[in-house]
Amino acid sequence: MLTTNDLDNLRVVLVSARNPLNIGAAARAMSNFGFAHLRVVNPYKVAFRKAVSAVGATSVMTDAQEFETVAQATADCTLVVGTTAVRHRKLLHPFRRLESGSAVIRKRLTASPVALLFGSEKFGLSNDDLSHCHWLMGIPTSDKNISMNLGQAVAVCLYELIRESKAVRSKDKKGPATMVEVNRITGLLINALDESGYTKPGTEVPTHEKITRRVRRLNLQSEDTELWLGILRQILWKIRKT
């Protein structure tokens, strides 16, 4: 699972991007997925930092670094990966699909900076740009329309990088409730039953034991515990108020 420090090791490098709106869209995607380092090589000479498409990504655009060459933009990286739609181009580099390539990048991000290169909207990365790459990566698209918008391509690649981490985090919230959570729910339920008059005088011990067993049989899920705790607290508050 990628940590904040791992995400900080990625440099998104846009080479010769022509449309400021696309740069803004790429910055927005970076902000969406937790990446901060945008680098641009010879961008179209327009005030791209003010692109209206960079919604919520002001800091990414403000901190974006400009470079004259790909070599300069990737100088601090131990891995440089270029993106390409392939087309009819004869590739001179190893090529990986997005799924497998992202796995390699994730592993490297835990140790050192990685540069992910995207070419211009019209021509992609030039042969000179590609010469700085260790290998290439492509998004599997329809043969009828293989070229993607720059901002969309950045978004898809970055999502794939963090997808596994998101899945792990989501999974962590599921699963059986811990005994600490179960005991909290059991305690509140017993209090509610006692104060509502359900528990008859002299039957407290067997009733509490019965309730405790029944709650455990429910096989409560961790993600549901806060809901049940909230319900029981509200019931107790209502009982005590009347």
Side-chain angles (χ1 to χ4, degrees), residues 27-151:
R28 182 176 185 178
M30 292 175 63
S31 180
N32 288 150
F33 299 123
F35 297 96
H37 300 295
L38 174 61
R39 297 179 175 182
V40 293
V41 178
N42 288 330
Y44 184 56
K45 296 304 179 181
V46 174
F48 70 87
R49 295 179 193 275
K50 298 180 181 180
V52 295
S53 53
V55 178
T58 302
S59 62
V60 175
M61 292 292 277
T62 300
D63 297 336
Q65 296 176 282
E66 294 185 59
F67 296 87
E68 294 183 1
T69 67
V70 172
Q72 293 171 347
T74 60
D76 62 336
C77 300
T78 63
L79 174 64
V80 180
V81 178
T83 57
T84 179
V86 183
R87 296 182 185 276
H88 302 295
R89 170 183 275 175
K90 180 180 180 181
L91 299 180
L92 301 178
H93 292 71
F95 177 83
R96 292 182 171 91
R97 280 170 56 103
L98 178 62
E99 305 93 318
S100 60
S102 293
V104 177
I105 293 174
R106 280 196 296 269
K107 185 175 181 180
R108 182 63 69 89
L109 285 174
T110 63
S112 57
V114 175
L116 187 56
L117 272 60
F118 297 86
S120 70
E121 299 89 331
K122 189 173 183 178
F123 302 109
L125 294 169
S126 68
N127 288 333
D128 181 63
D129 299 331
L130 294 176
S131 69
H132 297 278
C133 300
H134 291 87
W135 45 269
L136 307 179
M137 183 170 71
I139 299 171
T141 54
S142 169
D143 292 337
K144 295 181 179 179
N145 188 7
I146 64 175
S147 181
M148 294 183 69
N149 169 271
L150 176 59

